[in-house]
Amino acid sequence: MSRKGAPDCWKLGILFSETGVTAVIEQSQKNGALLAIEEVNRRGGVAGRPIVPVSYDPGSIPAEYGRLAEKLIVEDSVSVIAGCYMSSARKEVLPVVERRNALFFYPTLYEGFEYSPNVIYGGACPNQNSVPLASYLLENYGRRVYFVGSDYIYPLESNRVMRNILRQGGGEVVGERYLPFSADATAFNAIIDEIAELKPDAIFSTLVGEATIDFYTAYHEAGHDARKVPIASLTTNEAEICRIGAKAAVGHITAAPYFRTIDTPESRRFLDSYAAMFGSDELVTSCCEAAYFQVHMFAEALEHERLLDIARLRETLLGASYDAPQGMIKIDPDNSHTYLHSRIAKVDENGDFIVEREVRRPIKPDPYLVAPDLNDHRFRLMETPQFVRSIKR
Ligand code: ACM
């Protein structure tokens, strides 16, 4: 759905994959970005001009994101891009947007330990998702955790952080395995055998995309009961659960700022608008929501500046807040990351995420994890109020 903008429009580069191993989640992010563009244009655009997406499919190949970011900036004259899921893809785009001085919106949870003046980070970093999840697992399942992940920077780095957080809370990592993207479904058999032998209290998965579907399916087929030993993750969203199926997914746990089952007016309006554009809200994920609110925040900043001036847009964005489907959020002027809500949800027998715990207020991003204190009152998980637990159907 690539479209070159006419001069009387605002171009926005879109780099999400519709093919390859992470298409399952990136398609939801792309839809979130396109929905926000559609909503802005429906009410007259920005300063009377529509936002026009200029989009390419990088095929889930990290180097392609870098090449296509360069193409967007140089050939399509785009100066603002939203895109990327995998951190390996973001690392390819980073030097391009810095060298060309473009603005890059990244709507995905990641491992932290990064700052670029050219990036606005819209996904959670470890103090906003790993810390609350570790606290929940230690409190509800036990001390012994097994790590399984895809073999690239995000799982390796975020597990380094998760290991420290668990240790701080008295936990231990009893096993750790990484699989290449080329691994087929049978590659999980050895991991499933090792889990049966080591008997952890919980599994922490940093697998992404297709591998998630293969692993959860293999775990279920091997007879493991998720209600006793769940797979907990930050990267298993509604889109993956939809592919895994309710039977194999029930009992597993995910921490994220947003779940599609949150029954608030802002979330309902977002889901209705999404379903009107795409036919169903089944595949809405927290990464889709992040792409959605980031594009809306870009449009608001552009409305303010009325100019695609990167320095001025950035100045306007830093400190800006937005009433997102997850609740009120704000871009932290200290580090260009976003204050986000933190929720822990479990999959029920219908395949829906039911929020079990949440932190009361949005958490300030701490990408360098300066204060990873499990007892910090700001991370205290509250029993979720009834109105949040009810499911929208
Ligand atoms: C990720 O690679 N940041 C999920």
Side-chain angles (χ1 to χ4, degrees), residues 147-195:
F147 285 178
V148 55
S150 299
D151 192 7
Y152 76 104
I153 180 174
Y154 160 73
L156 295 164
E157 272 300 297
S158 77
N159 276 344
R160 184 181 62 75
V161 174
M162 189 61 152
R163 176 190 298 276
N164 289 342
I165 299 168
L166 284 169
R167 276 189 182 152
Q168 198 190 53
E172 65 170 312
V173 180
V174 296
E176 185 167 3
R177 296 278 167 204
Y178 296 93
L179 280 184
F181 287 109
S182 57
D184 66 13
T186 60
F188 286 108
N189 294 340
I191 291 175
I192 300 285
D193 288 347
E194 190 170 64
I195 290 170

Side-chain angles (χ1 to χ4, degrees), residues 72 74 126 128 189 192 207 219 227 308 325 357 361 363:
L72 278 169
V74 175
Q128 297 167 308
N189 294 340
I192 300 285
L207 294 162
Y219 190 74
R227 278 165 280 219
L308 275 172
R357 296 279 194 281
R361 281 172 284 275
I363 300 176

Side-chain angles (χ1 to χ4, degrees), residues 85-87 90 106 108-111 152 154 208 235:
Y85 178 74
M86 282 188 285
S87 290
R90 185 190 71 257
Y106 179 55
T108 307
L109 65 122
Y110 87 110
E111 62 281 0
Y152 76 104
Y154 160 73
V208 298
T235 46

Side-chain angles (χ1 to χ4, degrees), residues 310-329:
I310 300 313
R312 282 171 56 177
L313 283 175
R314 187 171 172 275
E315 267 313 298
T316 301
L317 282 160
L318 294 183
S321 48
Y322 186 76
D323 199 4
Q326 67 177 267
M328 197 51 97
I329 54 160

